[in-house]
């Protein structure tokens, strides 16, 4: 009988969970609930013309509805009030009163102008009455909150790319973006402060023309966003603008320290920004701030749902009954302006209460003001977990793009076969690519795989990204990481040891916040997110050693041809250079061109005689591999094929095109 009771209890709980979760992938978008028809698209070769969108598509397993749903389903990012974003004008000068370089628009141009956003690497798309009524670029979405609708980003902003394949614009779903999020965020702060005449006056009190221009810009903005323009309403709006500007400026200043080079296009230190969010701004301990100075290339998404880990350093498990992939995605939203209201208890509450005003000003305030307690001692948040679950479910069906032979040239079958033998270790005794990069056929892309995690010293690539995650003290002052508002909180919210005065490393805070978000809204949103978050991964690569995160992931190379530049930090421009000794690789190249190079397999880089990026309409940025965290060394021993004959290098590249 006891066993029957246990069975009935489990069955009853399962029934409750399933009833709460529902069976569909209905998502909340633009004030309504929509469901994309998920009929899988049949596989095909070549390109499909989409004149309504202005580009071609490739066979990747998604139909047109799932594609659009992926682009515009909000995740909970709350960067700026939505109507502000629609009506904000682009700044002509920075908040520091410097002219903005590469200006491509006229005065009084809206920040959301397609020409402007295209120059930053984003992909404008036609309006849609349901998914995208305001005609925003891919990955720009409206997030509903108790304080009104907010503008934010979705994962498609960072994992979609429009490539120029021999004159044809082709959208590759899940490919690394070539966008410049740092310039986007800094430009938004400039746009906000440029209409504050008090700020303009403080920079240069003698520039009456600039002060008048700021007042005129604010008046135009206020008349667009206020239901009725009055002096009182305008004063209140300016107070809100200053508060919002300060929030964004503080985050930008902490993440994008002037001590380190800008990321440029196609790179971002998302993990560093997330660690600042959860370990400094959520704790109230501004001493935990450390610049997000380890930009990496955006990983491609196909195969993500099948892998046991996804991040470059394997920081988060992707295994579990949905909790793994949901937790990973919750962390991603927190890093792109998702709001979390941490509820401090015990000594944590005392810590916050005892912060002096200077300390409070030094830490970035929340982007939303409301912070009620969540369920199970968890945290309230803006994160839309049911939507995240639907997105993860769609990604589980995403497939790699096929090399379009009719556009880029036919595969040389004899060469490719020789390349396959090299890849499998059948030609050179020390070269066996498959030893790290598992071979996954197109028919097997829905099957789980276990990633190969390689120790940083062994692969020899730039260590900054892996090292930053496991720092046990802040390199700025050598002090350990403070727990701050987490003191007295259980590390897993409902279980585990409670935080004392310090954290071992900042990744602990990430785990706590992610679980706090999930438990904080478990029965109204979390269960849907968990049950929808499809993961095919069966094993966990996590190691029981101190250096378990001091590694980089080697993943199957399906679709690798469409994912340049290479290495985890995007410091190698094409596949040919990946097979070149590190001292012979380009020391600098330009990132941002969408023009594909089918011979070397990467993007074209055009530089002027003085070493700058040519202004060819792509607004490309220079990646100097001598700069901090941008080293192009590593993956350069005999094992990686750099000493093969040129003919065999050609053969291996030909085989990689077929994956």
């Amino acid at each position: 009988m006891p066993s029957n009771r246990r069975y009935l209890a489990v069955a009853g709980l399962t029934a409750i969970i399933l009833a709460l979760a529902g069976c569909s992938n209905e998502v909340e978008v633009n004030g309504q609930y929509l469901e994309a028809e998920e009929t899988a698209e049949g596989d095909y070769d070549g390109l499909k013309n989409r004149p309504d969108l202005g580009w071609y598509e490739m066979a990747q397993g998604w139909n047109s509805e799932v594609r659009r749903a992926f682009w515009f389903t909000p995740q909970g990012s709350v960067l700026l009030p939505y109507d502000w974003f629609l009506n904000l004008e682009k700044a002509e000068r920075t908040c520091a009163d410097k002219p903005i370089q590469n200006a491509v628009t006229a005065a009084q141009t809206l920040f959301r102008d397609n020409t402007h956003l295209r120059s930053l690497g984003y992909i404008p798309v036609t309006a849609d009455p349901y998914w995208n009524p305001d005609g925003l670029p891919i990955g720009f979405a409206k997030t509903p909150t108790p304080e009104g609708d907010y503008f934010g980003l979705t994962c498609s902003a960072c994992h979609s790319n429009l490539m120029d394949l021999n004159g044809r614009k082709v959208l590759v779903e899940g490919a690394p973006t070539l966008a410049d999020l740092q310039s986007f965020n800094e430009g938004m702060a400039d746009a906000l402060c440029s209409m504050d005449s008090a700020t303009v006056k403080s920079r240069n009190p003698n520039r009456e023309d600039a002060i008048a221009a700021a007042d005129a810009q604010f008046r135009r903005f206020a008349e667009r966003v206020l239901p009725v323009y009055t002096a009182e309403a305008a004063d209140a709006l300016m107070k809100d603008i200053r508060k919002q500007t300060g929030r964004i400026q503080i985050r930008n200043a902490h993440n994008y320290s002037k001590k380190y080079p800008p990321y440029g296009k196609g790179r971002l230190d998302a993990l560093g920004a997330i660690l600042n969010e959860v370990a400094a701004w959520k704790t109230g301990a501004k001493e935990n701030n450390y610049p997000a100075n380890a930009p990496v290339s955006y990983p491609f998404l196909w195969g993500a749902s099948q892998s046991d880990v996804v991040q470059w350093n394997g920081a988060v498990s992707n295994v579990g009954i949905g909790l793994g992939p949901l937790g990973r995605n919750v962390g991603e939203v927190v890093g792109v302006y998702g709001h979390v209201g941490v509820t401090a208890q015990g000594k944590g509450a005392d810590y916050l209460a005892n912060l002096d005003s200077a300390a409070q000003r030094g830490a970035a305030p929340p982007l939303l003001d409301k912070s009620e307690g969540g369920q199970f001692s968890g945290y309230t948040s803006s994160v839309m977990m049911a939507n995240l679950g639907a997105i993860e479910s769609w990604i589980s069906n995403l497939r790699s793009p096929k090399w379009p032979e009719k556009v880029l040239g036919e595969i040389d079958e004899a060469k490719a076969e020789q390349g396959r033998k090299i890849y499998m270790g059948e030609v050179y005794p020390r070269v066996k690519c498959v030893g790290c990069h598992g071979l996954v056929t197109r028919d097997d892309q829905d099957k789980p795989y276990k990633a190969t995690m390689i120790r940083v010293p062994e692969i020899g690539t730039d260590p900054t990204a892996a090292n930053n995650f496991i720092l046990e003290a802040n390199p700025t002052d050598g002090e350990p990481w403070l727990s701050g508002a987490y003191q007295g909180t259980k590390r897993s919210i409902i279980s585990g040891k409670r935080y004392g005065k310090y954290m071992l490393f900042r990744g602990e805070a990430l785990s706590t916040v992610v679980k706090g978000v999930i438990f904080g809204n478990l029965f109204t949103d979390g269960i849907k997110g968990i049950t929808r978050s499809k993961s095919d991964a069966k094993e966990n690569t996590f190691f029981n050693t101190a250096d378990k995160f001091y590694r980089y992931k080697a993943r199957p190379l399906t679709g690798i041809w469409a994912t340049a530049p290479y290495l985890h930090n995007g410091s190698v421009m094409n596949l040919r250079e990946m097979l070149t000794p590190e001292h012979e690789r380009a020391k600098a190249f330009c990132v941002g061109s969408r023009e594909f190079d089918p011979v070397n397999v990467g993007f074209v880089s055009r530089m002027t005689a003085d070493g700058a990026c040519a202004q060819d309409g792509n607004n490309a940025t220079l990646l100097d591999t001598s700069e901090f965290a941008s080293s192009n060394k590593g993956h350069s021993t005999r094992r990686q094929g750099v000493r093969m004959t040129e003919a065999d290098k050609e053969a291996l590249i030909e085989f990689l095109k077929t994956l």
Side-chain angles (χ1 to χ4, degrees):
M1 287 298 293
S3 61
N4 288 337
R5 284 199 297 269
R6 283 198 297 271
Y7 172 80
L8 290 173
V10 171
L13 180 59
T14 301
I16 292 172
I17 290 175
L18 291 175
L20 288 168
C23 299
S24 72
N25 274 332
E26 186 179 65
V27 291
E28 185 178 355
V29 180
N30 293 309
Q32 56 195 325
Y33 287 89
L34 303 173
E35 185 171 2
E37 173 57 54
E38 296 184 44
T39 303
E41 185 179 57
D43 212 2
Y44 59 86
D45 294 320
L47 307 176
K48 180 186 291 185
N49 192 7
R50 289 297 305 272
D52 56 322
L53 297 173
W55 57 62
Y56 290 81
E57 294 175 348
M58 311 186 79
Q60 294 190 257
W62 285 353
N63 62 26
S64 58
E65 276 199 54
V66 172
R67 290 172 186 261
R68 195 170 287 271
F70 172 66
W71 301 340
F72 297 115
T73 295
Q75 302 176 178
S77 175
V78 289
L79 177 53
L80 199 71
Y82 187 76
D83 59 340
W84 288 21
F85 179 73
L86 294 183
N87 293 286
L88 186 66
E89 290 181 10
K90 176 180 174 292
E92 297 179 31
R93 302 183 71 83
T94 69
C95 291
D97 199 30
K98 295 180 180 179
I100 293 178
Q101 301 299 316
N102 300 321
V104 293
T105 54
Q108 298 186 27
T109 296
L110 293 179
F111 189 86
R112 57 144 309 171
D113 177 79
N114 282 344
T115 302
H116 174 227
L117 295 178
R118 191 181 288 111
S119 75
L120 294 174
Y122 294 101
I123 306 171
V125 66
T126 54
D128 175 277
Y130 301 106
W131 299 98
N132 184 29
D134 296 300
L136 297 179
I138 287 175
F140 289 43
K142 180 194 295 183
T143 300
T145 80
E147 295 185 11
D149 292 330
Y150 267 68
F151 159 76
L153 300 175
T154 79
C155 58
S156 60
C158 301
H159 301 284
S160 302
N161 196 10
L162 190 64
M163 303 172 66
D164 183 345
L165 305 184
N166 279 342
R168 292 176 175 84
K169 294 181 180 178
V170 181
L171 186 75
V172 182
E173 306 286 4
T177 184
L178 293 176
D180 185 349
L181 184 60
Q182 178 176 348
S183 291
F184 176 88
N185 287 335
E186 292 177 333
M188 182 169 289
D190 291 334
L192 288 167
C193 72
S194 67
M195 59 180 168
D196 183 353
S197 60
T199 299
V200 174
K201 186 175 182 178
S202 68
R203 295 190 304 236
N204 192 335
N206 298 320
R207 285 189 56 193
E208 295 295 335
D209 58 333
I211 297 170
D215 283 331
Q217 181 183 341
F218 171 69
R219 178 67 184 238
R220 291 191 298 271
F221 178 78
E223 289 178 345
R224 293 181 188 126
V225 302
L226 292 175
V228 178
Y229 183 93
T230 64
E232 293 78 9
D235 287 344
L237 177 61
M238 178 53 71
K239 290 180 181 178
D240 287 342
I241 289 172
R242 287 170 179 159
K243 181 169 63 175
Q244 196 71 28
T245 304
R247 290 167 170 172
I248 296 174
Q249 286 176 325
I250 289 173
R251 281 173 166 78
N252 288 348
H254 287 320
N255 286 332
Y256 314 135
S257 170
K258 300 303 181 183
K259 296 179 181 178
Y260 301 100
Y263 304 155
K265 287 196 167 179
R267 302 200 306 167
L268 180 71
D269 186 358
L271 198 51
I274 292 171
L275 293 179
N276 274 337
E277 185 72 33
V278 300
W281 306 328
K282 294 292 180 282
T283 64
K286 69 181 182 66
E287 298 92 336
N288 288 348
N289 279 314
Y290 183 64
N293 59 12
V296 300
S297 179
Y298 299 84
F300 53 89
L301 290 189
W302 50 86
S305 297
Q306 288 74 37
S307 178
D308 54 343
V309 291
V310 176
Q311 281 85 2
W312 285 113
N313 70 336
V316 180
S317 172
N318 199 40
V319 179
I321 56 167
L323 191 59
L326 178 61
R328 165 172 56 81
N329 288 321
V330 167
E332 177 258 322
V333 176
V334 171
V336 286
Y337 307 108
H339 169 70
V340 179
V342 169
T343 306
Q345 52 185 291
K347 291 184 178 180
D350 294 339
Y351 176 87
L352 292 180
N354 291 328
L355 286 180
D356 59 32
S357 57
Q360 292 175 354
R361 289 194 301 271
L367 292 163
L368 295 175
D369 291 328
K370 292 186 178 179
S371 263
E372 304 96 1
Q375 303 163 6
F376 301 106
S377 299
Y379 306 145
T380 54
S381 77
S382 64
V383 180
M384 303 175 73
M385 290 184 281
N387 282 11
L388 284 177
I391 292 170
E392 187 67 28
S393 178
W394 298 329
I395 291 173
S396 71
N397 297 316
L398 180 65
R399 298 295 173 258
S400 62
K402 288 183 178 182
W403 176 271
E405 293 187 78
K406 293 182 180 179
V407 178
L408 295 179
E410 294 185 359
I411 299 293
D412 185 318
E413 298 296 340
K415 274 188 179 181
E417 175 57 21
Q418 173 68 0
R420 185 197 66 78
K421 291 178 180 179
I422 295 170
Y423 194 92
M424 300 303 293
E426 299 172 8
V427 177
Y428 294 87
R430 295 188 182 181
V431 179
K432 188 177 182 180
C433 307
V434 75
C436 294
H437 300 284
L439 185 61
V440 176
T441 67
R442 191 168 184 82
D443 291 338
D444 289 339
Q445 287 190 39
D446 61 339
K447 296 179 181 178
Y449 71 89
K450 187 173 182 179
T452 302
M453 299 299 299
I454 306 175
R455 294 189 70 250
V456 174
E458 180 182 345
I459 195 62
T461 53
D462 193 294
T464 313
N467 187 59
N468 279 5
F469 189 80
I470 58 174
L471 290 172
E472 295 183 7
N474 193 327
T476 304
D477 55 17
E479 294 295 320
W481 307 111
L482 292 169
S483 296
Y486 300 142
Q487 291 181 57
T489 296
K490 293 181 179 179
R491 282 173 165 78
S492 293
I493 299 298
I494 61 174
S495 64
K497 293 183 179 179
R498 297 181 185 274
Y499 281 102
K501 185 176 180 180
Y502 300 107
M503 295 182 283
L504 177 61
F505 61 105
R506 294 191 297 170
E508 285 188 302
L510 173 58
S511 176
T512 298
V513 169
V514 164
K515 290 170 183 174
V517 169
I518 294 174
F519 287 123
N521 202 6
L522 184 64
F523 283 118
T524 47
D525 194 41
I527 288 177
K528 284 186 178 181
I530 291 171
T531 56
R532 291 176 175 183
S533 294
K534 183 180 179 182
S535 171
D536 297 305
K538 304 300 181 185
E539 297 184 83
N540 198 329
T541 298
F542 276 52
F543 305 91
N544 295 317
T545 60
D547 69 343
K548 66 181 180 180
F549 297 126
Y550 197 57
R551 302 167 185 255
Y552 289 129
K553 174 183 176 179
R555 63 190 301 172
L557 300 183
T558 49
I560 194 67
W561 68 269
T563 65
Y566 298 103
L567 288 185
H568 75 276
N569 63 348
S571 61
V572 177
M573 64 190 299
N574 54 49
L575 284 183
R576 188 172 300 278
E577 289 217 340
M578 283 299 299
L579 298 175
T580 301
E582 58 186 28
H583 64 276
E584 297 179 13
R585 295 169 181 166
K587 300 297 185 291
F589 60 96
C590 296
V591 182
S593 172
R594 300 188 183 278
E595 183 179 347
F596 187 72
D597 176 1
V599 176
N600 297 304
V601 189
F603 291 101
V604 171
S605 169
R606 291 190 175 88
M607 300 179 66
T608 61
D610 59 356
C613 292
Q615 293 305 307
D616 57 1
N618 293 300
N619 218 22
T621 56
L622 185 71
L623 194 157
D624 184 343
T625 64
S626 68
E627 291 185 328
F628 186 84
S630 296
S631 170
N632 64 352
K633 294 182 178 180
H635 200 277
S636 182
T637 69
R638 185 189 299 271
R639 290 178 58 195
Q640 282 89 38
V642 299
R643 297 187 185 180
M644 295 190 305
T645 67
E646 289 303 313
D648 281 341
K649 290 180 181 180
E650 291 274 358
L652 182 54
I653 290 173
E654 198 73 3
F655 174 67
L656 293 176
K657 295 176 184 178
T658 71
L659 298 180

